[in-house]
Structure formats: C-alpha cells, structure tokens
C-alpha cells in the first residue's frame, strides 16, 4: 500500500519535528499584515517578518503544511490548471524553516535524507539545480551528498525579465528573497519533457518537487537588495507532487485527494468520462474556492473577491460544458471535507457558509452563462482569423458577467486568442461614460474601494458586497 496524502503530510512534519523543528499550523490564505500580497502563496509568508528580523519567535526552526493559492499576483497558475500535470490554484506546501539556525549544508542534508531515507525515493531519479554562481551549494550536492555531476544543473537569472527567475526565489516584488536549489523527479522517458535548463523543460517529465531557498536579502521597492540580519532557510515542497510520486502516478490529478474530488464532480454533474480535463479543473477549483471562503473572502467585483468570483465562474463554465443541468459546484464541498476535513476542521465548521456562497454565485452566473456562450458562438461563426474581437470580449464581460480569463479559457480550447487591447479600449470608453453619467463623482468610487478593502481583511467576512458594487456600477 502506498502512503496517503495525509500520511505523507504527517511523515514530513514529524521528520522535521524530530530534527528540532516546531510544528506551526497553516496560516490563513489572506496574509495577516502584508498588503503587498494578494494571497498566501508559500509557506514562508507567515514568517516574513521573522526573516526580516522584525518579529521574534520562541524557536529558530519551524515546519508547516501551508495552504497556498496561486491565482493572481507574481505567482499565478490559474492558466496552467487543466494543462499541466503539476499545477493547482490551491495546493499545500510542506516546508521547513531555519531562522538564522542551520544554512545550506543542513537544509540540503535534511531534504535528501527525507526523500531518500524516509519516503525512499530512488536517488537516481532525482536531479538538482543550483543558482549559477552558488559553488557552495554545488559542492554540497556533488561532494557531500554524492549526486553525480551530470544531474546537477546551474541555472541563473532570467535576464531582462522583471524577476530574476528560477533559481533566485522571491515572494513578490519586495520582501525576503535569495538564491535557491531545487530538486526534480524524473517520471520516466514515456513522458515528454527535458531536464531543467533544457529546451524541453516545460514538459512534465522532470517535475520540480522541492525548492530550498537560502534567504539572504530583503528586496526593496526601488530594487535595492539589503542583506538580511541572519542567513536563513525557507523550503517548499508541493504535497500533491510528492504524493503523486509516492502513489506511483504521474499527474497530481491521479492522487487520492483528486480522485475522490473528480468522482464526486462526475457524479454531481452527471458525467461519465473521468479523464475529462474539465473535471480536473472543477476538482482543482473547489479547493481554492472553498478555502478562500473559509478564510473570509466572498465573491465580489473587486480585488480578492473578484479572483474568487473568476474561479467559481470558470468552474461553473466547465461544469456546463460537461452538461451540468443544475447547480453542482456547492455539492463538492462535502467531498472536500471527506478528504481534507481532518487536517482542516475549519472546512467542516464553515461548510454551510461555503455551500451557500458557492451556490449563490453559481445561480447568479447561470442566469447569463448560456446566453453569453450563445453570443460567443455567434461571434465565432463570424470572425475571420483567430482573434476574438475586443468588443465581443467586452460585451461578454459587461453584459454576461464573463471574466476575461474565462473567455480566454474558451478561446484557448478552440485555438483562438483575444484582442486584449480592443477589450481595454472598450473598457476605458465605458469608464469614461460612467464618469460622465455619474452624479456622485469620484468620491463614491473611492468609498466603494475602501468598503471592499475592509471586507478582504475580515476573517468572518460572510458579507457579500457584490450587490453594493452592482448598485454603483449600474
Ligand atoms: P513550477 O516551476 O513547477 O511552476 P515553482 O518554481 O513556481 O513551480 P516554487 O515557487 O518554487 O514553485 O514553490 C515550491 C514548491 O511548491 C514547488 O517546488 C512545487 O512542489 C510546489 N508548487 C508550486 N506551485 C504549485 C502549484 N501551482 N500547484 C501545486 N504545487 C505547486
Ligand atoms: Mg510556478
Ligand atoms: Mg520552478
Ligand atoms: Mg521553484
């Protein structure tokens, strides 16, 4: 019998506990006091101030299984869901942290021991990358751990890109960052893809499982890199990715948690085809949507609430595509509780609130979904070439409530793209019209912003501001 995801989570936390780490519970998806970040996107987020030296803890070693959402901001994987074997909007990041305690040597040794001794991965399937100039990390891998040098790859900055890339990790535009070393698993030559750094690295054969970041700098808004008070360690391993390996499957969507959700989705929708991409999307989205509501986000037209709305609507559209004839999405909350309720009791506690929020959003969107899709089909019958005109995208958005990424999702399935500049122009024209027509002027708009902001930070934010937003929009 292979290990369940729950057992893997426990094995990880207990391994690091035995190595003197304090087990720290996952924090909320809404970063406590960090306005620069849309959602918690890594295990280190709740420790940001500890790395910076402005917060002190009773421990210098910690471990956690952190719930993360990557559906906006610097780390955005929404567009990857359904297309890769390894990306989710919501996932759990297993991590160990050193606050000025052990550094490169300790972090690498622990990771290697956990993978090869505790969960017993075959060493010959593991590849590692190090930051281009990090000879210290390179030598630890090559000389102390004994990884053959043809499986150690140096990777540098993505020159010219706004962020230094792969082997220099940063949480966002500002904050703690540093060079990293990553561990990849080779799923075998029957899967397309090449090792990291090769032209085929985007394939799903070599899957990144663990990132070990050597936290050394605080990046400021002006780009200045200030050294941190103490060199520290932050690591992150995707629970779903390590589960896939240990459950002898390739895709994350084949692991225990997802199989249960996919079956529940098929049943709720009335679909037979368990391999369908849309079912995977729905199974992914129920996790991010449920946990966002748990953490106080409600569907709305602004900020975090709009990200949630976009994800729900995407799920609803995929369900419709599979033939769902009535609301189905909220029914999956119970299935999620089956597989994650033990680790996250708050899911069960807030079950009724989550179901109600998702049902309301689905009912509201279903009213316009069908007509919107019809409009889109008509427009597509007319278009020349492969670009959906901006005014169609705008009408879908404005009249039928189609978030642009949802229209893009449909377009991509049909090999089409969107005229984004045309959409922006239509949007701007509408803003101008709204300004001229408004008796209230800018003050009300800014008040509306503030209203929504207040709601984002609320943990018991069961208030739906969308009617208020709609009022001002109208
Ligand atoms: P990738 O290159 O595959 O997109 P990443 O480099 O963006 O991953 P990191 O920021 O290094 O990921 O995060 C640490 C770990 O978290 C990754 O090694 C991976 O195991 C996991 N992880 C990252 N993004 C996702 C995601 N969208 N879904 C599931 N697991 C993820
Ligand atoms: Mg990524
Ligand atoms: Mg990566
Ligand atoms: Mg990475």
């Amino acid at each position: 019998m292979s290990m369940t995801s729950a057992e893997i989570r426990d094995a990880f936390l207990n391994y690091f506990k035995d190595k003197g780490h304090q087990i720290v519970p996952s924090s909320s998806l809404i970063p406590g006091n960090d306005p620069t970040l849309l959602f918690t996107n890594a295990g280190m987020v709740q420790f940001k101030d500890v790395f910076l030296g402005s917060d002190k803890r009773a421990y210098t070693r910690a471990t956690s299984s952190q719930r993360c959402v990557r559906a906006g901001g610097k780390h955005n994987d929404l567009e990857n869901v359904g297309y890769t074997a390894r990306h989710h909007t919501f996932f759990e990041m297993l991590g160990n942290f050193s606050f000025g305690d052990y550094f490169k040597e300790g972090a690498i040794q622990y990771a290697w021991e956990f993978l090869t001794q505790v969960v017993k991965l075959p060493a010959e399937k593991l590849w590692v990358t190090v930051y281009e100039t990090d000879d210290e990390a390179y030598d630890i891998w090559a000389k102390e751990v004994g990884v053959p040098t043809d499986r150690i790859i140096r990777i540098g900055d993505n020159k010219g890109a706004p962020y230094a890339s792969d082997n220099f990790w940063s949480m966002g535009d500002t904050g703690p960052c540093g060079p990293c070393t990553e561990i990849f698993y080779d799923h075998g030559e029957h899967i397309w893809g090449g090792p990291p750094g090769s032209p085929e690295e985007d394939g799903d054969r070599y899957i990144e499982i663990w990132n070990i970041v050597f936290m050394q700098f605080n990046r400021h808004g002006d780009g200045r890199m200030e050294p941190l008070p103490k060199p520290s360690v932050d690591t992150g391993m995707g629970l779903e990715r390590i589960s896939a390996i240990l459950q002898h499957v390739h895709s994350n969507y084949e692991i225990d948690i997802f199989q249960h959700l996919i079956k529940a989705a098929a049943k709720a929708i009335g679909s037979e085809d368990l391999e369908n991409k849309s079912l995977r999307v729905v199974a992914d989205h129920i996790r991010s949507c449920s946990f966002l509501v748990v953490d106080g986000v409600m569907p709305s037209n602004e900020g975090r609430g709009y990200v949630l709305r976009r994800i729900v609507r995407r799920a609803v559209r995929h369900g419709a595509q599979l033939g769902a004839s009535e609301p189905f999405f909220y029914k999956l909350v119970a299935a999620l509780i089956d597989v994650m309720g033990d680790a996250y009791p708050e899911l069960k506690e807030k079950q009724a609130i989550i179901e109600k929020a998702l049902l309301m959003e689905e009912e509201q969107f279903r009213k316009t979904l069908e007509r919107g899709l019809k409009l889109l089909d008509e427009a597509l019958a007319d278009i020349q070439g492969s670009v959906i005109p901006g005014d169609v995208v705008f009408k879908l958005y404005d009249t039928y409530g189609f978030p642009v990424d949802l229209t893009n999702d449909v377009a991509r399935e049909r090999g089409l793209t969107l005229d984004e500049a045309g959409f922006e122009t239509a949007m701007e024209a509408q803003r101008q019209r709204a300004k001229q027509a408004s008796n209230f002027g800018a003050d009300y708009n800014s008040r509306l912003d503030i209203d929504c902001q207040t709601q984002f930070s609320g943990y018991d934010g069961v208030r739906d501001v969308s009617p208020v937003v709609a009022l001002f929009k109208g």
Side-chain angles (χ1 to χ4, degrees):
M1 268 298 284
S2 52
M3 291 172 89
T4 64
S5 299
E7 288 165 350
I8 297 165
R9 187 194 294 116
D10 286 346
F12 183 93
L13 296 175
N14 287 326
Y15 170 81
F16 281 102
K17 184 175 169 223
D18 288 346
K19 304 286 178 192
H21 294 63
Q22 170 80 37
I23 299 179
V24 178
S26 170
S27 62
S28 168
L29 288 169
I30 309 309
N33 48 14
D34 189 346
T36 67
L37 199 60
L38 188 62
F39 298 119
T40 297
N41 58 15
M44 57 73 64
V45 169
Q46 66 167 319
F47 301 116
K48 181 181 170 186
D49 292 338
V50 189
F51 287 120
L52 295 178
S54 57
D55 182 7
K56 289 259 176 315
R57 300 285 164 103
Y59 43 83
T60 55
R61 299 176 171 210
T63 183
S64 67
S65 179
Q66 175 66 50
R67 54 184 185 268
C68 296
V69 164
R70 293 192 174 183
K74 176 183 186 284
H75 294 276
N76 184 358
D77 287 326
L78 184 60
E79 311 287 327
N80 287 325
V81 172
Y83 292 91
T84 72
R86 67 185 198 277
H87 288 108
H88 306 298
T89 51
F90 172 97
F91 64 100
E92 279 181 85
M93 195 184 280
L94 302 167
N96 57 290
F97 307 90
S98 154
F99 309 115
D101 192 317
Y102 57 87
F103 197 44
K104 296 187 184 182
E105 164 94 42
I108 290 175
Q109 296 287 3
Y110 285 145
W112 191 255
E113 184 176 69
F114 179 78
L115 291 178
T116 59
Q117 306 292 315
V118 180
V119 295
K120 298 192 168 28
L121 295 192
E124 66 277 8
K125 296 210 171 167
L126 298 173
W127 290 60
V128 299
T129 63
V130 298
Y131 186 59
E132 192 164 48
T133 52
D134 192 351
D135 295 334
E136 189 185 348
Y138 189 98
D139 286 346
I140 296 169
W141 283 118
K143 295 182 187 149
E144 287 168 47
V145 177
V147 174
T149 51
D150 55 357
R151 294 208 309 270
I152 308 176
I153 299 160
R154 291 179 187 261
I155 294 197
D157 295 347
N158 195 350
K159 297 204 176 54
Y163 304 99
S165 84
D166 272 5
N167 280 53
F168 196 94
W169 199 88
S170 42
M171 179 191 91
D173 292 313
T174 59
C177 56
C180 64
T181 178
E182 296 195 312
I183 305 174
F184 286 69
Y185 182 82
D186 178 3
H187 277 266
E189 57 191 21
H190 58 292
I191 293 151
W192 185 82
S198 77
E200 297 85 29
E201 72 175 343
D202 279 340
D204 272 333
R205 173 174 168 181
Y206 297 82
I207 289 191
E208 175 189 325
I209 52 174
W210 202 340
N211 187 354
I212 298 161
V213 185
F214 307 122
M215 285 295 187
Q216 279 173 288
F217 306 101
N218 179 15
R219 196 203 310 263
H220 291 270
D222 57 11
R224 200 161 35 91
M225 303 273 269
E226 180 196 3
L228 290 181
K230 290 178 186 163
S232 295
V233 169
D234 149 41
T235 89
M237 171 158 66
L239 173 63
E240 300 77 6
R241 294 190 191 184
I242 184 72
S243 296
I245 299 170
L246 295 173
Q247 294 175 16
H248 313 291
V249 294
H250 170 239
S251 160
N252 287 4
Y253 291 94
E254 296 171 82
I255 69 171
D256 49 0
I257 293 178
F258 275 102
Q259 283 303 302
H260 187 76
L261 293 174
I262 287 172
K263 283 185 194 132
K267 186 161 171 249
I269 292 170
S271 152
E272 308 268 280
D273 174 14
L274 290 177
E275 301 295 311
N276 194 287
K277 182 196 102 171
S278 289
L279 279 184
R280 278 185 261 148
V281 175
V282 169
D284 172 86
H285 289 6
I286 191 61
R287 299 209 309 164
S288 47
C289 293
S290 299
F291 276 98
L292 283 171
V293 176
V294 160
D295 285 336
V297 183
M298 283 286 152
S300 77
N301 277 344
E302 297 279 344
R304 293 179 178 130
Y306 192 57
V307 178
L308 172 57
R309 166 161 287 169
R310 283 161 48 199
I311 307 175
V312 178
R313 292 187 174 192
R314 244 175 131 109
V316 171
R317 204 276 300 179
H318 279 280
Q321 201 173 12
L322 290 170
S325 52
E326 53 181 65
F328 69 93
F329 197 45
Y330 75 100
K331 294 181 184 165
L332 307 181
V333 178
L336 181 61
I337 292 172
D338 293 341
V339 279
M340 295 188 71
D342 284 345
Y344 296 95
E346 51 271 58
L347 274 176
K348 180 92 194 137
E349 282 154 28
K350 299 202 176 163
Q351 179 172 6
I353 296 170
I354 307 168
E355 288 174 344
K356 191 170 171 211
L358 300 186
L359 178 59
M360 273 175 64
E361 182 65 18
E362 179 165 6
E363 280 174 336
Q364 192 180 333
F365 186 49
R366 285 180 74 91
K367 287 184 194 145
T368 55
L369 173 66
E370 214 172 298
R371 278 182 292 146
L373 287 173
K374 195 155 163 270
L375 171 92
L376 186 58
D377 275 336
E378 285 162 10
L380 293 186
D382 281 353
I383 63 166
Q384 319 282 326
S386 65
V387 183
I388 304 180
D391 59 332
V392 174
V393 181
F394 178 72
K395 187 157 186 207
L396 284 168
Y397 166 82
D398 194 48
T399 312
Y400 299 100
F402 279 42
V404 176
D405 65 279
L406 188 155
T407 305
N408 194 33
D409 199 35
V410 182
R412 191 165 160 194
E413 285 165 6
R414 305 182 189 193
L416 304 171
T417 56
L418 308 184
D419 173 11
E420 283 178 35
F423 168 77
E424 281 305 323
T425 310
M427 214 30 210
E428 187 48 39
Q430 197 236 31
R431 272 186 215 116
Q432 293 303 331
R433 280 196 305 275
K435 222 177 184 176
Q436 279 158 18
S438 167
N439 297 323
F440 305 120
D443 287 344
Y444 268 78
N445 287 328
S446 46
R447 236 185 61 194
L448 181 62
D449 274 355
I450 293 162
D451 246 57
C452 293
Q453 291 294 348
T454 319
Q455 186 226 4
F456 302 149
S457 53
Y459 283 69
D460 58 350
V462 289
R463 188 160 58 99
D464 181 5
V465 297
S466 51
V468 187
V469 176
L471 204 71
F472 283 109
K473 254 190 100 186

